[in-house]
Amino acid sequence: MSTVDRAYLMTGLGYGILGLALGIHMAASKDHGQFVTHAHIMLAGFAVSFVYAVCHKLWLSAEPCRLGKLQFWLHQFGMAGIAVGLFLLYGQFLSPELLDPFLALSSIAFLLAMILMKVMIIRARKQSV
């Protein structure tokens, strides 16, 4: 297992635990105000991280390149920013006007990470042909 696929697997499982804990809290409290946050943590955090771990394991080099490390950290920055920003937004801890730029930057980082993953997969395919 390479360092990046393991890192994605471990962070993905961490997001899964966090998302499930939030879901259990919402069910127990009967307050589903953080549903959007829960869904983003489970899908963007857990599921996408798991898919990236599989991509690294099956299609990308065992030794991560600089682009792979950049992609990993962009994903982590974006996902953490989205999770925290949505929690603060839907918990009404901070105003949308204050959080919007932070959420936009986090979302752009997440998008760039996905674009970089596609670039790395395309490069790996060309190198193997």
Side-chain angles (χ1 to χ4, degrees):
M1 187 173 264
S2 78
T3 54
V4 177
D5 61 351
R6 181 167 175 76
Y8 267 121
L9 180 61
M10 296 307 291
T11 57
L13 291 170
Y15 283 122
I17 292 166
L18 181 64
L20 287 171
L22 180 57
I24 290 168
H25 170 73
M26 288 189 306
S29 68
K30 309 245 187 299
D31 177 4
H32 293 85
Q34 290 287 351
F35 175 76
V36 173
T37 308
H38 164 75
H40 277 77
I41 292 170
M42 292 305 296
L43 292 173
F46 171 67
V48 173
S49 293
F50 189 81
V51 168
Y52 286 168
V54 170
C55 288
H56 275 278
K57 183 72 175 168
L58 297 179
W59 293 290
L60 298 173
S61 169
E63 286 302 314
C65 62
R66 277 190 266 171
L67 193 59
K69 290 177 184 177
L70 173 64
Q71 190 272 338
F72 174 81
W73 287 110
L74 272 173
H75 174 78
Q76 297 310 318
F77 170 78
M79 188 54 233
I82 289 168
V84 170
L86 289 175
F87 183 81
L88 293 172
L89 179 68
Y90 286 97
Q92 298 177 339
F93 296 107
L94 295 173
S95 71
E97 295 79 24
L98 188 62
L99 290 168
D100 281 349
F102 180 71
L103 282 166
L105 183 62
S106 299
S107 298
I108 290 167
F110 193 87
L111 172 63
L112 290 173
M114 191 165 286
I115 291 168
L116 287 179
M117 177 57 76
K118 183 168 183 176
V119 167
M120 289 186 304
I121 295 289
I122 290 169
R123 282 184 176 178
R125 173 72 179 137
K126 286 182 180 178
Q127 291 172 357
S128 69
V129 174

